[in-house]
Amino acid sequence: GAVVSQHPSRVICKSGTSVKIECRSLDFQATTMFWYRQFPKQSLMLMATSNEGSKATYEQGVEKDKFLINHASLTLSTLTVTSAHPEDSSFYICSAIRTGTDTQYFGPGTRLTVL
Amino acid sequence: GDSVTQMEGPVTLSEEAFLTINCTYTATGYPSLFWYVQYPGEGLQLLLKATKADDKGSNKGFEATYRKETTSFHLEKGSVQVSDSAVYFCALTGGTDKLIFGTGTRLQVFP
């Protein structure tokens, strides 16, 4: 099967600090990865599309300077939440598309709590 | 813009009951339709999909038929099990790889 991992699974940080979340496709190459945010009892909201070797494409209303995305290889994308504030607390989920297909495989998510 | 509407949960059923989770969509063009499932503590998994009108997606006893005339993609299972307890998301892609999700429906199955 196609496995996507995220690290860390949970992180607690102080307000004003930056947090990096990794998304890895473990057994396939992914030219495209996506980052979502999920609020309690709500749906997943697409934040940005991450393409290997190029700049991420952000959805309307998502601050690109606050949510830095780097897709440096075909198996790794990172999301850095800069100068985190309590309102950034959320569940962040990534997905990856196996190169040559259209199916998204999702990571287990990262719970971020900003104190 | 494109959107997905699905019934609010939780849906609570006894084991072996019949399940229907309604999903309707709004889209320009001809979207592909998906059902994803999120088991407790796990990531979303693709359950089934349909790419054109009248297609039926099926997996693990679940089925959904792409109904263009009613813009619907209702999820059904004839006999649920406790292990089916999870959150189910209806979603579509409208010509790009971007998934647009419904709000999710929590299913709770009791023995």
Side-chain angles (χ1 to χ4, degrees), chain A residues 17-114:
Chain A
T17 61
S18 294
V19 174
K20 180 185 284 188
I21 303 170
E22 293 186 348
C23 176
R24 292 183 186 273
S25 55
L26 297 185
D27 52 359
F28 65 97
Q29 293 185 333
T31 307
T32 302
M33 291 184 173
F34 298 91
W35 286 97
Y36 296 85
R37 187 171 176 178
Q38 186 179 24
F39 294 96
K41 298 185 179 181
Q42 294 189 29
S43 185
L44 283 74
M45 181 193 77
L46 179 64
M47 298 175 66
T49 304
S50 171
N51 292 299
E52 186 267 338
S54 63
K55 290 184 178 180
T57 303
Y58 291 81
E59 295 299 301
Q60 193 172 8
V62 178
E63 299 175 63
K64 61 182 180 182
D65 294 331
K66 179 165 189 62
F67 299 100
L68 300 179
I69 292 172
N70 187 326
H71 193 157
S73 79
L74 286 171
T75 59
L76 173 65
S77 177
T78 61
L79 168 69
T80 301
V81 183
T82 62
S83 187
H85 291 282
E87 58 266 29
D88 299 325
S89 298
S90 192
F91 196 55
Y92 292 89
I93 301 172
C94 73
S95 71
I97 295 181
R98 185 196 297 263
T99 302
T101 74
D102 64 354
T103 300
Q104 288 191 38
Y105 298 94
F106 285 80
T110 297
R111 172 78 57 195
L112 170 63
T113 303
V114 184

